[in-house]
Amino acid sequence: KKSIHSSVIRSREMFLLAMDFIYTDNLDSLKKVLHQEEKLYTTQKNLTDYTIQLSKGNLSDIQAPLIPALIICMNHVERTGDYAKDLVEIAQIKTNSHLEFSDMALGGLKELEGMVVHMYDLLAEILYEPDKQQINFQKIKNLEDEVDIKARGRLDGHGHRLNQGRCTVDAGVYFMDLVNFLERISDHIYEACRDLRSGEIAEALEE
């Protein structure tokens, strides 16, 4: 429980730092993301090794299905951290190429960012308050659907701005990548929550 929760918090921090780098070109944010990514990978590896060792012991019928579910959940959380690193790499290219996003494009990114952060918070809450699992799962599912819709809208909006000459092709390519990465992060948060949804996992988290 504590390992997954700390990983969710760490991945959330990485995500916010990556978005800050996109907006501000702050190199301190870049360095912090890379540092946190190493910690997140180490936590995932340690948790996976630990759960595999547990699986070799005598587990009850309730406990046995938890092992693969928890490993898969942690893998989804770790993948969100990978995408935060991908966001930083795109932001580096943007900075090095002196590309600028329009105010409308930045507003779209910030809107998606807010929804993803909310999803992180709901997932973290589930890990400490299993009784909120069902209601938070539904909230996360609704947010994931909304991110998909908003992301498609932002991509369509980019197409219109490009046709009107209000943005460059190069900046547009990287904007589209950023939107797609945000959508994938929301997908993994939803999938991590889905793996925590069963009553057996909720019971284990209460221990």
Side-chain angles (χ1 to χ4, degrees), residues 39-186:
K39 289 185 176 181
L40 188 62
Y41 172 77
T42 299
T43 301
Q44 181 210 23
K45 184 178 184 303
N46 290 342
L47 179 62
T48 300
D49 291 344
Y50 175 69
T51 51
I52 289 175
Q53 288 301 315
L54 283 179
S55 68
K56 295 178 181 178
N58 295 322
L59 300 176
S60 69
D61 291 340
I62 291 178
Q63 292 173 325
L66 299 181
I67 301 303
L70 290 173
I71 291 174
I72 292 171
C73 175
M74 184 62 206
N75 286 344
H76 283 304
V77 174
E78 199 269 338
R79 288 295 292 137
T80 67
D82 289 343
Y83 280 120
K85 186 178 178 182
D86 290 338
L87 289 172
V88 164
E89 291 174 356
I90 294 297
Q92 281 184 288
I93 296 172
K94 169 183 170 289
T95 299
N96 294 339
S97 303
H98 306 289
L99 300 175
E100 298 290 338
F101 291 153
S102 68
D103 290 341
M104 186 171 293
L106 289 173
L109 291 176
K110 289 179 180 179
E111 182 181 32
L112 292 171
E113 175 191 0
M115 288 188 285
V116 171
V117 169
H118 192 189
M119 292 176 72
Y120 270 120
D121 291 340
L122 290 168
L123 177 57
E125 189 175 54
I126 286 174
L127 290 161
Y128 266 125
E129 300 182 61
D131 59 310
K132 292 186 177 181
Q133 190 169 136
Q134 181 57 41
I135 187 170
N136 279 15
F137 173 80
Q138 191 57 53
K139 288 179 180 178
I140 287 175
K141 181 65 176 72
N142 292 342
L143 281 166
E144 194 263 343
D145 289 340
E146 189 174 358
V147 168
D148 288 347
I149 293 170
K150 294 286 186 181
R152 285 195 295 271
R154 293 305 171 187
L155 294 177
D156 289 343
H158 159 68
H160 292 311
R161 290 193 299 275
L162 186 62
N163 290 334
Q164 295 171 0
R166 294 162 56 194
C167 67
T168 65
V169 174
D170 289 342
V173 168
Y174 295 120
F175 172 76
M176 292 170 67
D177 284 341
L178 292 173
V179 170
N180 285 327
F181 286 146
L182 287 167
E183 184 178 9
R184 290 172 192 171
I185 289 172
S186 77

